[in-house]
Amino acid sequence: MLKKTEMTFFQKELEDRKIKLETNLSTTSGEMTAMRRNELKDEGDHAAMSLENAVENAILGQQSRELAEIEEALDRIKDNTYGVCEMCSSEINIERLKVKNFARYCIVCREVVEKSQES
C-alpha cells in the first residue's frame, strides 16, 4: 500500500495535469471555433484548415481520454484503491505510477489488456 506522502504526491501530480488538460482543451476548442469562422479564400486554405482540424481533433480526443483517466485515478485515491491493479488486485509498482500516474493495471495485466484489445 502506498504511504500517505506518496498518495499526496500522486494526487497533486494528477490534479496539476488535470488543470493543464482542461485549460488546453478549452483553449484548443476556442481556437478551432475561431478558425471555422475565418473566411477561406481558396482550395489551399480549405486543405490547410482540413488538415489542421484533423490534427486538432486527434489531439483533443487523446487529451479527453487522458483527462477521463485522471479523473478516474482521483476517484480511486478517494476510494483508497489507487495503486491497486483493477484486474488482479495486486499493488502497482510505484515506478510505473511515476511514469503513468493514472495507471489502472500492473505491468503483467496491462500486457493482457493490450493483447485483448489488439484482437
Side-chain angles (χ1 to χ4, degrees):
M1 195 69 165
L2 293 172
K3 298 175 194 165
K4 185 174 173 103
T5 55
E6 293 168 334
M7 196 70 79
T8 302
F9 168 81
F10 286 117
Q11 183 173 5
K12 179 163 180 9
E13 290 288 310
L14 288 162
E15 288 170 348
D16 288 349
R17 181 68 179 151
K18 179 181 175 185
I19 290 167
K20 286 179 186 174
L21 286 171
E22 288 172 337
T23 301
N24 192 48
L25 286 167
S26 176
T27 301
T28 304
S29 294
E31 289 171 355
M32 287 179 70
T33 300
M35 276 189 346
R36 285 188 197 105
R37 291 187 186 133
N38 286 340
E39 191 173 317
L40 303 177
K41 295 178 176 46
D42 59 27
E43 289 179 26
D45 287 347
H46 283 282
M49 189 168 114
S50 179
L51 177 60
E52 201 165 318
N53 278 340
V55 170
E56 293 291 338
N57 282 330
I59 291 169
L60 286 174
Q62 174 59 34
Q63 289 183 345
S64 294
R65 286 187 293 278
E66 183 179 345
L67 181 59
E69 296 238 20
I70 287 170
E71 289 171 344
E72 289 174 11
L74 288 168
D75 287 344
R76 289 193 303 275
I77 287 173
K78 289 176 192 164
D79 297 342
N80 291 319
T81 58
Y82 180 81
V84 176
C85 178
E86 291 182 9
M87 187 177 287
C88 70
S89 299
S90 66
E91 201 170 304
I92 299 172
N93 184 297
I94 194 162
E95 295 306 317
R96 173 157 167 67
L97 291 172
K98 286 178 183 177
V99 172
K100 186 175 182 181
N101 53 18
F102 52 86
R104 297 169 46 198
Y105 305 106
C106 66
I107 292 289
V108 173
C109 291
R110 182 205 61 164
E111 290 174 7
V112 171
V113 169
E114 286 178 358
K115 285 185 182 183
S116 70
Q117 289 174 346
E118 291 173 3
S119 305

